[in-house]
């Protein structure tokens, strides 16, 4: 069977890859949007935190025998905890300065973290096995779906939805949204806003750590695994516009799919299509598709 | 006048809030040059003064919202001037800013429930909705979709829930229709009956006269004078002069 002259199996498999990539774009840009919304810091450490999530899972298995399922919770928590310490010790000091300082600081942290891991683990990747419950594939009739990939798509959708609910429907989220608009007034009401900032940074970073754990069984765990991905994720964030969570999620999945389709119809452009979209969006809507100018 | 005398008679004379030599700066420019205030428990005090005199800055300094300030601020005898901003509300202090500070990303109800409870004895949500039926009707709307008057009601209402004992109000009647101004006057009088101490910044002198028991006149970031409501008639001309009205 063919669709538009393309074998349908090839089309669906590229769409699946697009959806998988989109899941990571969505998770990572959601974390960036959560952080930027409140802290006004463009978190360049995000790629390193993604890598830390994957390494945490790998090392937990190696040294403590802790498998994938517990790591899915523990590794992001470790990344969140580490990030909370970073925020308290370093990032909190640049809030009152120009955005550029936050960017430089988090970029510098990335170089340090990735450099340290490269020093100890080299740049080659290490494998991390998918849990045996998720090995193999299911036949969907029109294509074979590897179980683990299906899980990644569902898990990332669920996490995006939970994060959205947390921000839009809970008291914590109300503090977060209010502090985004007027942090001093919220603090004058008696809310511990410095702690709120720390928790929010930890939350956004924890999402990156979770994406890292999810990525570990599919890609090799390597110190630089976040580098290439994060550049694309920043393009996604620019396209979606900072500050809108729904925007970050929707743009992440859509661009993953667009990338997948490009691979089918015009493979030469598949690595650049997201940046091409970014340029067009910047020309037409500089604040991003969902951004408020 | 008799009403005011009666309230004066029952009110507790200890200073619940006092400020000594309060100074504040915006960057390098000094806005307050040593303000002294003594506010007694349960009284309603109005701060008067021309535009730019330093009234808002005084309230913001007391609340801890000024980045640069010096001097001593005591609530119930305890110095709060060095506390982190989020600890100050716990001493029973609530602030309604001039721009009202309603959050657009929150519904009316979320705005109402936002400030944490700091002490017992605050209004319940039911009491608040009884006092402001409009807010109940619009509780699921976006906070900033309310009219100016409703936003002012919401800004006052959400502070009342928290159980604060001292309420700082910055120009609550600014830009509101006379009917709404009357409503706000009623609310302030009701709060006074509940024993809440109120510091009010007001340009609308007729409104201030309706609710205030004592006045501070501020000029160039200093207290020019203070007097009680009973002394007001003798000062009308002087006051018009100072306020330029
Ligand atoms: N954000 C600011 N930056 C710099 N200077 C300021 C700022 N806000 C106020 N000022 C200055 O501080 C002084 C006191 O201002 P403040 O707002 O306290 O006056 P006010 O008595 O509340 O006036 P109004 O009746 O107009 O509200 C003024 O000279 C004003 O120009
Ligand atoms: Mg003012």
């Amino acid at each position: 069977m063919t669709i538009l002259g393309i074998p349908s199996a090839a089309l669906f498999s590229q769409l699946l890859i697009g959806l998988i990539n989109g899941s990571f774009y969505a998770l990572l840009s959601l974390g960036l949007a959560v952080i930027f919304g409140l802290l006004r810091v463009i978190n360049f450490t995000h790629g390193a935190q993604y890598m830390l999530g994957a390494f945490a899972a790998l090392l937990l298995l190696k040294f403590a025998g802790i498998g994938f399922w517990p790591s899915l919770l523990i590794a992001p928590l470790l990344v969140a905890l580490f990030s909370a310490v970073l925020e308290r010790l370093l990032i909190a000091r640049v809030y009152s300065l120009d955005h550029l300082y936050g960017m430089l600081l988090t970029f510098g942290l990335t170089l340090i973290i990735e450099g340290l891991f490269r020093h100890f683990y080299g740049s080659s990747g290490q494998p991390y096995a998918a849990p045996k419950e998720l090995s193999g594939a299911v036949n969907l009739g029109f294509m074979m779906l590897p179980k683990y990939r299906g899980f990644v798509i569902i898990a990332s959708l669920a996490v995006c939805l939970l994060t959205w609910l947390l921000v839009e429907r809970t008291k914590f989220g109300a503090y977060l949204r209010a502090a985004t608009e007027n942090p001093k007034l919220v603090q004058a009401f008696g809310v511990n806003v410095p702690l709120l900032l720390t928790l929010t940074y930890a939350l956004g970073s924890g999402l990156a750590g979770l994406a890292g754990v999810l990525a570990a069984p599919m890609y090799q765990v390597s110190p630089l695994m976040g580098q290439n991905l994060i550049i694309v994720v920043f393009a996604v964030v620019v396209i979606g516009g900072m500050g809108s969570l729904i925007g970050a999620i929707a743009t992440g999945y859509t661009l993953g799919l667009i990338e997948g389709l490009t691979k089918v119809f015009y493979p030469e452009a598949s690595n650049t299509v997201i940046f091409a979209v970014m340029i067009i969006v910047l020309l037409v809507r500089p604040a991003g598709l969902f951004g408020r100018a | 006048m008799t009403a005011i005398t009666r309230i004066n008679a029952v009110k507790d004379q200890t200073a619940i809030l006092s400020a000594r030599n309060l100074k504040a700066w915006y960057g390098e420019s000094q806005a307050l040059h040593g303000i002294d205030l003594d506010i007694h428990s349960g009284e309603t005090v109005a701060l008067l003064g021309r535009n730019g005199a330093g009234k808002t800055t005084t309230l913001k300094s007391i609340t801890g919202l000024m980045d640069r300030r010096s001097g001593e601020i005591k609530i119930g005898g305890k110095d709060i001037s060095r506390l982190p901003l989020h600890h100050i509300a716990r001493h029973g202090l609530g602030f309604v800013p001039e721009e009202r500070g309603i959050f657009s990303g929150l519904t009316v109800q979320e705005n109402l429930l936002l400030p944490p409870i700091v002490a017992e004895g605050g209004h319940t949500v039911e009491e608040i909705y009884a006092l402001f039926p409009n807010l109940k009707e619009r509780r699921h709307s976006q906070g900033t979709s309310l009219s100016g008057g409703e936003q002012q009601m919401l800004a006052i209402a959400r502070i009342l829930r928290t159980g604060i004992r001292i309420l700082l109000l910055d120009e609550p009647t600014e830009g509101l229709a006379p009917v709404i101004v009357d409503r706000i006057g009623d609310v302030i009088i009701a709060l006074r009956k509940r024993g809440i101490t109120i510091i009010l910044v007001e340009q609308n002198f007729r409104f201030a006269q309706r609710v205030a028991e004592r006045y501070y006149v501020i000029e160039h970031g200093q207290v020019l004078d203070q007097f009680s409501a009973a002394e007001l008639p003798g000062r009308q001309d002087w006051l018009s002069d100072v306020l330029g009205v």
Side-chain angles (χ1 to χ4, degrees):
Chain A
M1 200 175 95
T2 62
I3 297 171
L4 298 172
I6 307 282
S8 63
L11 180 66
F12 285 127
S13 86
Q14 285 306 333
L15 277 180
L16 176 66
I17 290 173
L19 204 52
I20 296 272
N21 286 340
S23 298
F24 288 108
Y25 298 160
L27 275 177
L28 290 166
S29 59
L30 177 62
L32 282 173
V34 166
I35 291 171
F36 182 80
L38 183 61
L39 282 69
R40 302 281 135 184
V41 165
I42 299 171
N43 183 37
F44 269 94
T45 318
H46 221 64
Q49 287 155 333
Y50 163 83
M51 177 272 287
L52 285 177
F55 260 97
L58 185 74
L59 299 177
L60 280 169
L61 182 66
K62 228 178 193 166
F63 295 110
I66 294 172
F68 175 80
W69 295 111
S71 279
L72 203 51
L73 189 68
I74 299 171
L77 282 178
L78 289 175
V79 174
L81 194 70
F82 170 71
S83 305
V85 174
L86 281 188
E87 193 275 346
R88 268 289 143 114
L89 291 183
L90 298 169
I91 301 171
R93 294 171 198 271
V94 301
Y95 290 146
S96 53
L97 305 175
D98 191 275
H99 289 192
L100 202 56
Y101 289 87
M103 237 160 77
L104 282 174
L105 174 61
T106 54
F107 187 65
L109 285 170
T110 302
L111 295 180
I112 294 172
I113 296 168
E114 289 182 346
L116 279 174
F117 272 75
R118 205 162 40 168
H119 177 74
F120 289 110
Y121 298 98
S123 1
S124 61
Q126 306 187 46
Y128 180 88
K132 59 179 182 312
E133 297 86 345
L134 296 176
S135 59
V138 280
N139 192 343
L140 296 180
F142 55 93
M143 69 178 296
M144 295 297 285
L145 173 68
K147 279 189 202 163
Y148 186 76
R149 302 200 160 203
F151 168 75
V152 167
I153 294 170
I154 293 168
S156 88
L157 272 174
V159 171
C160 287
L161 180 70
L162 284 176
T163 307
W164 182 82
L165 286 172
L166 175 71
V167 173
E168 295 297 329
R169 292 283 181 272
T170 66
K171 192 67 195 248
F172 172 81
Y175 286 150
L176 200 153
R177 279 174 285 139
T180 299
E181 292 179 42
N182 191 343
K184 283 207 131 184
L185 184 61
V186 173
Q187 197 177 354
F189 285 155
V191 178
N192 189 340
V193 171
L195 179 63
L196 188 67
L197 293 171
T198 307
L199 290 176
T200 303
Y201 188 72
L203 170 67
S205 307
L207 286 172
L210 179 75
V213 184
L214 287 174
M218 283 193 310
Y219 313 113
Q220 300 266 302
V221 178
S222 86
L224 302 182
M225 64 190 283
Q227 257 184 16
N228 299 325
L229 181 60
I230 208 63
I231 294 172
V232 180
V233 169
F234 275 114
V236 170
V237 167
V238 170
I239 294 167
M242 280 286 194
S244 157
L245 302 191
I246 289 288
I249 297 169
T251 316
Y253 284 107
T254 309
L255 287 172
L257 286 172
I258 288 178
E259 205 182 30
L261 284 176
T262 312
K263 223 167 249 166
V264 178
F265 292 105
Y266 190 52
E268 295 82 352
S270 64
N271 289 329
T272 44
V273 62
I274 288 185
F275 298 97
V277 174
M278 178 181 87
I279 290 169
I280 295 167
V281 169
L282 280 178
L283 288 173
V284 182
R285 257 186 87 96
L289 296 177
F290 296 85
R292 281 155 292 208
Chain B
M1 196 47 74
T2 51
I4 288 167
T5 325
R6 186 168 46 77
I7 289 159
N8 264 327
V10 291
K11 104 186 157 210
D12 177 2
Q13 286 299 331
T14 52
I16 188 172
L17 174 78
S18 66
R20 284 288 165 276
N21 201 21
L22 205 54
K23 295 178 181 168
W25 291 261
Y26 292 98
E28 291 303 308
S29 115
Q30 188 168 0
L32 299 187
H33 298 265
I35 296 262
D36 289 340
L37 298 173
D38 284 288
I39 314 293
H40 303 298
S41 183
E43 76 175 339
T44 301
V45 173
L47 306 186
L48 307 175
R50 286 181 190 238
N51 290 119
K55 308 179 294 294
T56 297
T57 310
T58 303
L59 295 192
K60 279 164 70 179
S61 298
I62 294 171
T63 325
L65 285 167
M66 292 297 294
D67 290 327
R68 238 191 114 194
R69 59 133 206 238
S70 72
E72 184 188 83
I73 301 158
K74 283 186 171 174
I75 294 183
K78 195 174 177 307
D79 191 358
I80 58 153
S81 63
R82 311 236 171 284
L83 294 180
L85 180 54
H86 56 275
H87 284 186
I88 292 175
R90 292 179 211 163
H91 289 81
L93 195 72
F95 174 50
V96 179
E98 189 171 0
E99 63 280 5
R100 286 150 198 164
I102 301 303
F103 300 104
S104 64
L106 275 63
T107 64
V108 170
Q109 180 141 305
E110 283 177 322
N111 265 285
L112 183 62
L113 299 180
L114 187 81
I117 307 277
V118 295
E120 283 177 22
H123 289 57
T124 63
V125 174
E126 291 72 46
E127 282 179 300
I128 286 172
Y129 282 149
L131 207 55
F132 307 108
N134 296 27
L135 297 185
K136 183 171 189 180
E137 247 166 65
R138 305 284 310 274
R139 65 187 179 280
H140 298 303
S141 319
Q142 187 189 4
T144 44
S145 72
L146 296 178
S147 73
E150 287 169 329
Q151 287 193 32
Q152 187 62 58
M153 302 285 180
L154 178 55
I156 298 176
R158 71 177 169 190
I159 284 298
L160 299 182
R161 229 190 95 252
T162 64
I164 52 103
R165 303 300 301 158
I166 308 169
L167 180 61
L168 312 185
L169 288 173
D170 197 353
E171 306 207 23
T173 66
E174 192 186 9
L176 303 184
V179 202
I180 313 284
V181 172
D182 284 347
R183 278 291 307 284
I184 291 180
D186 294 343
V187 169
I188 290 177
I189 289 167
L191 295 180
R192 195 166 71 187
K193 289 203 180 114
R194 243 174 130 121
I196 292 179
T197 308
I198 299 167
I199 306 180
L200 174 76
V201 166
E202 204 34 88
Q203 300 272 356
N204 179 343
F205 185 63
R206 282 187 42 192
F207 176 80
Q209 252 180 306
R210 183 177 164 214
V211 295
E213 300 158 75
R214 209 151 59 81
Y215 299 90
Y216 278 90
V217 181
I218 293 179
E219 195 170 81
H220 300 309
Q222 283 175 310
V223 174
L224 200 60
D225 199 4
Q226 57 121 338
F227 50 88
S228 72
E231 298 168 84
L232 183 63
R235 308 239 181 180
Q236 285 286 13
D237 292 344
W238 174 81
L239 199 57
S240 311
D241 225 36
V242 173
L243 301 179
V245 288

Short mmCIF file of all heavy atoms in Angstrom, two decimals, chain B residues 61-94:
data_model
loop_
_atom_site.label_atom_id
_atom_site.label_comp_id
_atom_site.label_asym_id
_atom_site.label_seq_id
_atom_site.Cartn_x
_atom_site.Cartn_y
_atom_site.Cartn_z
N SER B 61 6.81 51.09 52.18
CA SER B 61 7.91 50.88 53.12
C SER B 61 7.46 50.05 54.31
O SER B 61 8.17 49.15 54.76
CB SER B 61 8.45 52.22 53.62
OG SER B 61 8.95 52.96 52.54
N ILE B 62 6.26 50.33 54.81
CA ILE B 62 5.74 49.57 55.95
C ILE B 62 5.57 48.11 55.57
O ILE B 62 5.93 47.20 56.31
CB ILE B 62 4.40 50.17 56.45
CG1 ILE B 62 4.64 51.57 57.01
CG2 ILE B 62 3.77 49.27 57.50
CD1 ILE B 62 3.36 52.32 57.33
N THR B 63 5.05 47.87 54.36
CA THR B 63 4.79 46.50 53.90
C THR B 63 6.06 45.75 53.53
O THR B 63 6.02 44.54 53.32
CB THR B 63 3.88 46.53 52.65
OG1 THR B 63 2.97 47.60 52.79
CG2 THR B 63 3.10 45.26 52.50
N GLY B 64 7.16 46.47 53.39
CA GLY B 64 8.41 45.79 53.02
C GLY B 64 8.63 45.74 51.52
O GLY B 64 9.49 45.00 51.05
N LEU B 65 7.86 46.49 50.77
CA LEU B 65 7.97 46.43 49.31
C LEU B 65 9.02 47.36 48.72
O LEU B 65 9.26 47.34 47.52
CB LEU B 65 6.61 46.73 48.67
CG LEU B 65 5.59 45.60 48.76
CD1 LEU B 65 4.19 46.08 48.39
CD2 LEU B 65 6.00 44.44 47.87
N MET B 66 9.62 48.22 49.57
CA MET B 66 10.67 49.09 49.04
C MET B 66 12.01 48.37 49.15
O MET B 66 12.35 47.83 50.20
CB MET B 66 10.73 50.40 49.83
CG MET B 66 9.52 51.30 49.64
SD MET B 66 9.32 51.89 47.95
CE MET B 66 10.78 52.91 47.77
N ASP B 67 12.76 48.37 48.06
CA ASP B 67 14.05 47.69 48.09
C ASP B 67 15.03 48.37 49.03
O ASP B 67 15.83 47.73 49.69
CB ASP B 67 14.65 47.64 46.68
CG ASP B 67 13.87 46.69 45.78
OD1 ASP B 67 13.35 45.69 46.32
OD2 ASP B 67 13.76 46.96 44.58
N ARG B 68 14.97 49.70 49.04
CA ARG B 68 15.93 50.44 49.87
C ARG B 68 15.17 51.30 50.85
O ARG B 68 14.47 52.23 50.46
CB ARG B 68 16.76 51.34 48.94
CG ARG B 68 18.27 51.07 49.04
CD ARG B 68 19.05 52.13 48.33
NE ARG B 68 19.85 52.92 49.27
CZ ARG B 68 20.42 54.08 48.97
NH1 ARG B 68 20.26 54.60 47.77
NH2 ARG B 68 21.12 54.72 49.87
N ARG B 69 15.28 50.98 52.12
CA ARG B 69 14.65 51.83 53.14
C ARG B 69 15.38 51.62 54.46
O ARG B 69 16.09 50.64 54.65
CB ARG B 69 13.16 51.50 53.28
CG ARG B 69 12.86 50.09 53.67
CD ARG B 69 11.89 49.88 54.75
NE ARG B 69 12.24 48.60 55.33
CZ ARG B 69 11.43 47.55 55.41
NH1 ARG B 69 10.20 47.64 55.03
NH2 ARG B 69 11.87 46.44 55.94
N SER B 70 15.22 52.60 55.35
CA SER B 70 15.81 52.46 56.68
C SER B 70 14.82 52.98 57.70
O SER B 70 13.81 53.57 57.35
CB SER B 70 17.13 53.23 56.75
OG SER B 70 16.86 54.63 56.77
N GLY B 71 15.15 52.78 58.97
CA GLY B 71 14.25 53.20 60.03
C GLY B 71 13.65 51.98 60.70
O GLY B 71 13.96 50.85 60.36
N GLU B 72 12.79 52.26 61.69
CA GLU B 72 12.25 51.17 62.49
C GLU B 72 10.75 51.08 62.27
O GLU B 72 10.08 52.11 62.22
CB GLU B 72 12.55 51.50 63.96
CG GLU B 72 12.15 50.44 64.94
CD GLU B 72 12.32 50.97 66.37
OE1 GLU B 72 11.39 51.66 66.84
OE2 GLU B 72 13.36 50.71 66.95
N ILE B 73 10.24 49.87 62.11
CA ILE B 73 8.80 49.68 61.97
C ILE B 73 8.40 48.61 62.98
O ILE B 73 8.94 47.49 62.94
CB ILE B 73 8.42 49.21 60.56
CG1 ILE B 73 8.89 50.23 59.52
CG2 ILE B 73 6.91 49.00 60.45
CD1 ILE B 73 9.03 49.64 58.14
N LYS B 74 7.50 48.97 63.89
CA LYS B 74 7.10 47.99 64.89
C LYS B 74 5.62 47.66 64.76
O LYS B 74 4.79 48.55 64.59
CB LYS B 74 7.37 48.53 66.30
CG LYS B 74 8.83 48.46 66.69
CD LYS B 74 9.01 48.87 68.13
CE LYS B 74 10.44 48.60 68.59
NZ LYS B 74 10.67 49.13 69.95
N ILE B 75 5.32 46.37 64.84
CA ILE B 75 3.93 45.94 64.93
C ILE B 75 3.77 45.26 66.28
O ILE B 75 4.50 44.31 66.58
CB ILE B 75 3.55 44.96 63.81
CG1 ILE B 75 3.61 45.67 62.45
CG2 ILE B 75 2.17 44.37 64.04
CD1 ILE B 75 3.19 44.82 61.29
N GLY B 76 2.85 45.77 67.09
CA GLY B 76 2.68 45.22 68.43
C GLY B 76 3.98 45.20 69.21
O GLY B 76 4.26 44.25 69.93
N GLY B 77 4.83 46.21 69.00
CA GLY B 77 6.08 46.32 69.74
C GLY B 77 7.24 45.55 69.14
O GLY B 77 8.37 45.68 69.59
N LYS B 78 6.97 44.75 68.09
CA LYS B 78 8.05 43.94 67.52
C LYS B 78 8.56 44.57 66.23
O LYS B 78 7.78 44.91 65.34
CB LYS B 78 7.50 42.54 67.22
CG LYS B 78 8.59 41.52 66.98
CD LYS B 78 8.01 40.12 66.83
CE LYS B 78 9.10 39.12 66.51
NZ LYS B 78 9.93 39.48 65.35
N ASP B 79 9.87 44.72 66.13
CA ASP B 79 10.47 45.33 64.94
C ASP B 79 10.38 44.37 63.76
O ASP B 79 10.89 43.25 63.83
CB ASP B 79 11.94 45.69 65.23
CG ASP B 79 12.52 46.57 64.12
OD1 ASP B 79 11.80 46.85 63.15
OD2 ASP B 79 13.69 46.98 64.25
N ILE B 80 9.73 44.81 62.70
CA ILE B 80 9.59 43.94 61.53
C ILE B 80 10.43 44.42 60.36
O ILE B 80 10.39 43.84 59.28
CB ILE B 80 8.11 43.87 61.06
CG1 ILE B 80 7.60 45.27 60.72
CG2 ILE B 80 7.23 43.19 62.09
CD1 ILE B 80 6.50 45.26 59.69
N SER B 81 11.22 45.48 60.58
CA SER B 81 11.85 46.11 59.42
C SER B 81 12.95 45.26 58.80
O SER B 81 13.33 45.49 57.67
CB SER B 81 12.39 47.48 59.80
OG SER B 81 13.39 47.34 60.78
N ARG B 82 13.45 44.25 59.54
CA ARG B 82 14.50 43.43 58.94
C ARG B 82 13.99 42.07 58.48
O ARG B 82 14.77 41.24 58.02
CB ARG B 82 15.63 43.21 59.94
CG ARG B 82 16.11 44.44 60.62
CD ARG B 82 17.62 44.67 60.47
NE ARG B 82 17.99 45.98 60.96
CZ ARG B 82 17.76 47.11 60.31
NH1 ARG B 82 17.20 47.10 59.11
NH2 ARG B 82 18.08 48.28 60.83
N LEU B 83 12.71 41.83 58.63
CA LEU B 83 12.17 40.51 58.26
C LEU B 83 12.10 40.36 56.75
O LEU B 83 11.93 41.33 56.02
CB LEU B 83 10.76 40.35 58.84
CG LEU B 83 10.64 40.28 60.35
CD1 LEU B 83 9.18 40.11 60.74
CD2 LEU B 83 11.47 39.14 60.90
N PRO B 84 12.21 39.11 56.26
CA PRO B 84 11.95 38.89 54.83
C PRO B 84 10.51 39.28 54.50
O PRO B 84 9.62 39.14 55.35
CB PRO B 84 12.14 37.38 54.65
CG PRO B 84 12.72 36.87 55.91
CD PRO B 84 12.51 37.88 56.98
N LEU B 85 10.32 39.74 53.28
CA LEU B 85 9.01 40.24 52.87
C LEU B 85 7.86 39.28 53.21
O LEU B 85 6.81 39.69 53.70
CB LEU B 85 9.06 40.52 51.36
CG LEU B 85 7.82 41.05 50.67
CD1 LEU B 85 7.31 42.31 51.35
CD2 LEU B 85 8.11 41.34 49.21
N HIS B 86 8.06 37.98 52.98
CA HIS B 86 6.95 37.05 53.19
C HIS B 86 6.67 36.75 54.66
O HIS B 86 5.71 36.05 54.97
CB HIS B 86 7.14 35.76 52.39
CG HIS B 86 8.43 35.04 52.67
ND1 HIS B 86 9.60 35.36 52.03
CD2 HIS B 86 8.72 34.03 53.51
CE1 HIS B 86 10.57 34.56 52.46
NE2 HIS B 86 10.06 33.76 53.37
N HIS B 87 7.49 37.26 55.57
CA HIS B 87 7.18 37.08 56.99
C HIS B 87 6.32 38.20 57.55
O HIS B 87 5.74 38.06 58.62
CB HIS B 87 8.48 37.00 57.80
CG HIS B 87 9.17 35.69 57.66
ND1 HIS B 87 10.28 35.35 58.38
CD2 HIS B 87 8.89 34.63 56.87
CE1 HIS B 87 10.67 34.14 58.03
NE2 HIS B 87 9.85 33.69 57.11
N ILE B 88 6.27 39.32 56.83
CA ILE B 88 5.63 40.49 57.40
C ILE B 88 4.11 40.32 57.50
O ILE B 88 3.51 40.68 58.51
CB ILE B 88 6.03 41.74 56.58
CG1 ILE B 88 7.53 42.00 56.82
CG2 ILE B 88 5.20 42.96 56.99
CD1 ILE B 88 8.12 43.11 56.02
N ALA B 89 3.51 39.69 56.49
CA ALA B 89 2.06 39.49 56.52
C ALA B 89 1.64 38.70 57.76
O ALA B 89 0.57 38.92 58.32
CB ALA B 89 1.61 38.76 55.25
N ARG B 90 2.51 37.79 58.20
CA ARG B 90 2.18 36.96 59.37
C ARG B 90 2.03 37.78 60.64
O ARG B 90 1.49 37.30 61.63
CB ARG B 90 3.26 35.90 59.60
CG ARG B 90 3.28 34.88 58.50
CD ARG B 90 4.37 33.87 58.74
NE ARG B 90 4.88 33.38 57.45
CZ ARG B 90 6.02 32.74 57.29
NH1 ARG B 90 6.79 32.49 58.33
NH2 ARG B 90 6.40 32.33 56.10
N HIS B 91 2.53 39.01 60.62
CA HIS B 91 2.32 39.87 61.78
C HIS B 91 1.02 40.64 61.67
O HIS B 91 0.79 41.59 62.41
CB HIS B 91 3.51 40.81 61.96
CG HIS B 91 4.74 40.09 62.42
ND1 HIS B 91 5.56 39.39 61.57
CD2 HIS B 91 5.26 39.92 63.67
CE1 HIS B 91 6.53 38.82 62.27
NE2 HIS B 91 6.38 39.13 63.54
N GLY B 92 0.19 40.23 60.73
CA GLY B 92 -1.15 40.79 60.68
C GLY B 92 -1.30 42.01 59.78
O GLY B 92 -2.24 42.79 59.94
N LEU B 93 -0.37 42.16 58.85
CA LEU B 93 -0.39 43.34 58.00
C LEU B 93 -0.86 42.96 56.59
O LEU B 93 -0.35 42.04 55.98
CB LEU B 93 1.03 43.90 57.91
CG LEU B 93 1.19 45.30 57.38
CD1 LEU B 93 0.69 46.30 58.40
CD2 LEU B 93 2.66 45.57 57.07
N GLY B 94 -1.85 43.71 56.09
CA GLY B 94 -2.34 43.47 54.73
C GLY B 94 -2.29 44.74 53.92
O GLY B 94 -2.54 45.82 54.43
#
